[in-house]
Every structure is written in structure tokens, then in C-alpha cells.
């Protein structure tokens, strides 16, 4: 499984969930060497530092050339394009965000020859039963310590503008939380 952007909330959460649920490889990436080192210090051993290695090359290295069966992409843009090339035969890419860009250029041969698929996911469109099942799974994993939220910084709600500025400009490792 590959979830790009280990420092972001989607990449981090999905990587932790995949690892906790038994994925053979729970891979993520970062464009920042300091974040790659921080991820390693936190126990993420399969992080591709794209400041010195292409995403596809890193996935190939980690999986001994196999590729990845599942990609969960919350970034979009060029990252989605690069990730698509890392799919294994009959793999699937689910896109659910576009923080890097709403537009991506893909090489359709990455889909055709690998018999792969792309789909989208919108959390708010899921039925209540799916929400309940996901919630119960996540709560259980949180309680067991199998997954742990990583919080970069907490701001009071009255400083929401500062929190957003910190998130956008500082690009921290972990979530930015608003408190009441």
C-alpha cells in the first residue's frame, strides 16, 4: 500500500492504518528530507524521500520490483501521476484529495497494461453503516495503541487564521488541531 505525503493527515493516517491492519508494505513519501528523518524516528521505515529518489523507484526498491496493490492519494497533481506508475498488476488507485493540484496528467498505459483502476472516494457520500464500521475499527486501533494521531501544533479556535497560515506556510509534520 502507498499513501503519499507521510507528514500530512491522509498519508500519515492511511499508512498507520495499513500497517495496523497487516499490510506487507505500508509505504509513504515526502519531498522533504527532514520529514523523512522525522518519519523514521517515529517508526515509519518505508518512507521514500523524493528529494533524492523518484517515487516509482522507491516503491520498486521497497517491494523488490513488485509495485503496490493499493494507492490512497490525498495529494493529486504530479504526485498522483507518479504514484500511478508505481501500481502493481491489477492494482488500484483511490483519489480523495487534491492539495497539490486538482489537475493531473496520467500515462494511460499505467492503467491499460497493468489492468489497473482509478476510483474516487468522498467520505461524506458513504452510508451510515460504513461510517459506523470505520469508526469502530479506528477507535479499537486507537485504544490498542496500534495507531497514534500525530499532532504538530494546537491552536485555540480564536487563532484559526494563524493555524491555517501555519498549516499552509509551515507544512508541518502531523495534524494542526483547533481547540475550544
Amino acid at each position: 500500500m502507498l499513501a503519499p505525503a507521510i507528514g500530512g493527515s491522509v498519508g500519515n493516517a492511511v499508512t498507520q492504518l495499513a500497517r495496523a491492519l497487516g499490510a506487507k508494505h505500508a509505504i509513504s513519501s515526502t519531498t522533504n528530507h527532514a520529514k523523512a528523518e522525522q518519519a523514521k524516528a517515529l517508526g515509519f521505515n518505508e518512507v521514500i524521500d523524493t528529494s533524492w529518489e523518484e517515487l516509482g523507484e522507491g516503491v520498486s526498491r521497497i517491494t523488490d520490483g513488485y509495485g503496490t496493490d493499493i494507492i490512497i492519494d490525498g495529494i493529486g497533481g504530479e504526485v498522483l501521476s507518479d504514484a500511478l506508475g508505481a501500481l502493481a498488476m491489477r492494482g488500484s488507485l483511490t483519489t480523495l484529495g487534491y492539495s497539490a493540484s486538482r489537475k493531473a496528467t496520467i500515462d494511460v498505459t499505467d492503467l491499460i497494461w497493468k489492468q489497473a483502476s482509478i476510483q474516487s472516494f468522498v467520505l461524506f457520500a458513504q452510508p451510515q453503516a460504513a461510517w459506523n464500521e470505520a469508526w469502530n475499527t479506528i477507535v479499537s486501533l486507537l485504544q490498542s495503541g496500534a495507531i497514534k494521531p500525530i499532532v504538530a501544533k494546537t491552536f485555540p479556535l480564536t487563532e484559526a487564521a494563524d493555524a491555517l497560515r501555519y498549516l499552509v506556510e509551515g507544512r508541518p509534520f502531523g495534524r494542526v488541531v483547533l481547540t475550544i
Side-chain angles (χ1 to χ4, degrees), residues 126-145:
Q126 302 307 305
Q128 187 62 47
W131 280 75
N132 293 343
E133 182 180 350
W135 179 256
N136 291 335
T137 300
I138 290 169
V139 167
S140 174
L141 292 170
L142 284 166
Q143 289 173 335
S144 73

Side-chain angles (χ1 to χ4, degrees), residues 35-101:
K35 283 185 183 178
E37 293 301 314
Q38 189 173 0
K40 287 179 188 174
L42 290 168
F44 296 99
N45 299 318
E46 296 179 323
V47 175
I48 300 162
D49 181 348
T50 60
S51 68
W52 68 272
E53 179 179 36
E54 296 290 326
L55 186 62
E57 291 171 0
V59 168
S60 184
R61 175 181 50 78
I62 291 168
T63 65
D64 292 324
Y66 177 81
T68 182
D69 294 311
I70 299 168
I71 298 171
I72 308 293
D73 175 55
I75 303 298
E78 189 177 321
V79 173
L80 182 145
S81 302
D82 292 345
L84 189 59
L87 277 174
M89 287 294 293
R90 293 179 195 72
S92 67
L93 183 147
T94 300
T95 180
L96 51 87
Y98 42 85
S99 62
S101 177

Side-chain angles (χ1 to χ4, degrees), residues 3 14 23-24 34 45 50 64 92 121 133 156 159 166-167 171:
V14 171
K24 181 176 181 180
N45 299 318
T50 60
D64 292 324
S92 67
F121 178 82
E133 182 180 350
E159 296 177 17
Y166 173 73
L167 181 63
R171 297 182 48 151

